[in-house]
């Protein structure tokens, strides 16, 4: 059942463009940023890791409205509850599905972005390792935010207000891992674990509260 839920959400993300638009936005930021700061390769290389992480955070925000709300409106979550599937488990499955449709493509796109920003090969390895550790946390936070704003008017705007402040630790430690080494990477992993453990509980509680 859980594997089918994950596969269904991954297919829905790719079929509806929910997995394509964030990656396109991510690459667009990487393309436009050098035009804003000029052709200084030293400057671009120094700030490139932070730019990639900021773009990744903003790209992760794009599909938030479509992660939980459609299933709430269609009654899918109610049917799963009737069948005895815990909402926490469903939200964990949605986190896995969102990461599968978002994380690996983002890591591939980061290779292109690094070339555009003049990031060195060594820094690129650090960026990829940071994204591997941090994007699951972004996925978990996105699912929890989606559950919190499900059913609200202007849910996208509210999602931004909720998700962006909470994602600041991921952004700080993710960007810091490019130059900060193992210390920042360990802190990034710790924050990710907190989000992975807490987000399904928060999302399930928000869905139950929305029913009332």
């Amino acid at each position: 059942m859980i594997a089918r839920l994950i596969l269904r959400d991954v297919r829905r993300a790719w079929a509806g463009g929910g997995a394509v638009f964030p990656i396109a936005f991510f690459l667009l930021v990487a393309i436009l940023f050098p035009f804003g700061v000029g052709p200084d390769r030293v400057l671009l290389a120094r700030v490139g890791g932070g730019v990639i992480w900021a773009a990744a955070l903003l790209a992760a925000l794009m599909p938030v409205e479509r992660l939980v709300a459609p299933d709430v409106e269609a009654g899918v979550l109610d049917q799963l509850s009737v069948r005895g599937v815990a909402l926490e488990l469903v939200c964990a499955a949605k986190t896995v599905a969102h990461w599968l449709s978002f994380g690996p493509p983002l890591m591939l796109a980061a290779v292109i972005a690094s070339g555009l920003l003049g990031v060195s090969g060594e820094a690129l390895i650090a960026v990829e390792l940071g994204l591997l550790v941090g994007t699951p946390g972004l996925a978990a936070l996105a699912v929890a935010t989606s559950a919190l704003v499900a059913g609200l008017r202007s849910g996208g705007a509210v999602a931004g207000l909720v998700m962006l402040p909470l994602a600041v630790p991921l952004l700080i430690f993710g960007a810091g891992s490019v130059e900060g080494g193992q210390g920042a990477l360990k802190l990034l992993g710790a924050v990710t674990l907190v989000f992975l453990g807490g987000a399904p509980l928060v999302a399930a509680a928000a869905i139950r509260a929305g029913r009332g």
Side-chain angles (χ1 to χ4, degrees):
M1 174 67 74
I2 298 302
R4 287 163 56 189
L5 284 173
I6 294 173
L7 183 59
R8 185 200 66 138
D9 279 8
V10 171
R11 286 177 175 173
R12 185 170 64 181
W14 282 104
V20 176
F21 294 139
I23 303 305
F25 175 83
F26 173 81
L27 289 174
L28 184 61
V29 172
I31 292 171
L32 293 178
F33 186 80
F35 290 101
V37 301
D40 188 339
R41 294 184 61 84
V42 176
L43 175 61
L44 288 174
R46 187 168 66 248
V47 302
V51 172
I52 289 174
W53 264 96
L57 173 57
L58 294 175
L61 182 62
M62 293 187 66
V64 163
E65 282 188 276
R66 299 184 296 272
L67 296 178
V68 174
D71 285 345
V72 172
E73 295 170 359
V76 174
L77 300 183
D78 291 332
Q79 295 176 20
L80 291 171
S81 296
V82 170
R83 295 182 182 182
V85 181
L87 280 176
E88 290 81 2
L89 194 57
V90 174
C91 293
K94 285 186 171 295
T95 298
V96 173
H98 182 42
W99 184 82
L100 289 174
S101 61
F102 172 74
L106 183 69
M107 293 176 66
L108 290 175
V111 177
I112 301 174
S114 296
L116 294 171
L117 296 169
V119 176
S120 66
E122 183 179 351
L124 173 59
I125 294 175
V127 168
E128 293 289 354
L129 187 58
L131 289 174
L132 179 62
V133 173
T135 48
L138 279 177
L141 184 57
V143 171
T145 302
S146 183
L148 287 169
V149 303
L152 297 179
R153 294 182 179 179
S154 303
V158 177
L161 294 174
V162 172
M163 182 174 174
L164 290 178
L166 293 175
V168 168
L170 288 173
L171 177 61
I172 292 174
F173 297 133
S177 67
V178 179
E179 297 182 357
Q182 295 296 318
L185 190 63
K186 290 178 180 178
L187 290 171
L188 177 64
V191 174
T192 293
L193 288 175
V194 170
F195 284 152
L196 287 175
L201 302 177
V202 173
I207 293 169
R208 292 191 183 98
R211 288 173 176 172

